[in-house]
Amino acid sequence: MFLESISDTSIKFSLFDEFSKTKKDILAQVSDQETDSVKEIIEVEQNYIKVNIGKDQSIDQIADELLSKRLMTDKAAFKALVHDMGLESKFKPGTYNIEGGTKIKDTVLKLTGSVEKEYTIKIEENDDGFKVGKKLEEAGVIESGQTFVKELSDRKLYYSVKPGEHKIVTPIRDSKLIEELTK
């Protein structure tokens, strides 16, 4: 059960595995020795790094925490990634166990409770900003087509979305999405 609580993947044990482990643990208690299963748990715990995110913690404080735990190496790149994903204010307070060697993007997703999704959106030759915003909203890429259209218009890019199939990975900030769709 402990392994399930610290793992992002499903771990399954048979009833036989549970009985064998329990028997070994009881024998270890009686003989005051460490069993292989206890050694395995200790080893698994050592591969995880505890990260604490406080309420109202700034992005700089979070970056400093991750740097101090050696979960990343570049504060500026971290801040740029979080900005491009639009997740600056989405970090959830709590204590997290992050596996050593985890990619920083996956760490950000875990600390914000976000899920990465990939969408393929087909933009037709005559699609204007309104049609593109509607397609993106209907697909679930963005929350508001209206906000997207306003930002397109403000940037004078209403008719500048390139036709074709676009692969979009979310979470993504609207400005970054517009940049990808118009390049």
Side-chain angles (χ1 to χ4, degrees):
M1 300 310 125
F2 170 77
L3 293 176
E4 287 181 3
S5 71
I6 64 168
S7 176
D8 292 338
T9 58
S10 177
I11 298 174
K12 297 191 189 295
F13 295 100
S14 71
L15 195 52
F16 178 77
D17 294 329
E18 289 293 327
F19 283 129
S20 294
K21 181 195 170 303
T22 302
K23 178 183 174 188
K24 287 178 184 178
D25 289 345
I26 290 170
L27 290 173
Q29 285 292 332
V30 171
S31 65
D32 208 22
Q33 293 177 349
E34 214 175 66
T35 64
D36 289 340
S37 61
V38 171
K39 288 178 188 173
E40 287 173 20
I41 289 172
I42 290 169
E43 194 172 296
V44 167
E45 278 184 332
Q46 290 174 347
N47 291 332
Y48 283 82
I49 300 160
K50 189 175 284 193
V51 174
N52 294 306
I53 303 296
K55 186 178 181 197
D56 300 324
Q57 205 167 3
S58 73
I59 192 75
D60 285 309
Q61 291 169 319
I62 294 168
D64 290 340
E65 169 85 3
L66 297 176
L67 274 171
S68 73
K69 304 289 175 107
R70 298 181 185 202
L71 287 167
M72 67 172 196
T73 57
D74 188 337
K75 186 174 182 176
F78 168 77
K79 290 173 69 174
L81 173 68
V82 172
H83 176 77
D84 287 348
M85 294 173 80
L87 297 175
E88 296 96 325
S89 63
K90 304 290 186 188
F91 286 89
K92 308 249 187 250
T95 301
Y96 299 86
N97 289 314
I98 308 292
E99 187 171 3
T102 299
K103 292 181 181 177
I104 193 61
K105 184 175 186 179
D106 294 330
T107 299
V108 169
L109 291 169
K110 185 170 188 167
L111 298 177
T112 59
S114 302
V115 177
E116 183 176 80
K117 292 183 183 175
E118 185 175 303
Y119 300 88
T120 301
I121 303 296
K122 185 171 173 109
I123 307 298
E124 301 296 333
E125 186 72 38
N126 296 328
D127 285 355
D128 60 13
F130 177 79
K131 288 181 184 175
V132 172
K134 186 174 180 179
K135 284 181 180 184
L136 293 170
E137 184 176 358
E138 287 174 354
V141 175
I142 59 174
E143 292 180 20
S144 170
Q146 188 175 3
T147 302
F148 178 81
V149 169
K150 181 181 180 334
E151 193 158 342
L152 263 180
S153 297
D154 290 349
R155 293 169 171 246
K156 299 182 181 6
L157 295 171
Y158 189 80
Y159 296 103
S160 299
V161 176
K162 303 292 183 212
E165 280 195 2
H166 296 269
K167 292 212 182 294
I168 301 164
V169 178
T170 63
I172 188 169
R173 177 179 296 286
D174 279 355
S175 59
K176 184 70 174 170
L177 176 60
I178 290 169
E179 183 182 307
E180 288 186 14
L181 292 175
T182 58
K183 64 178 173 181

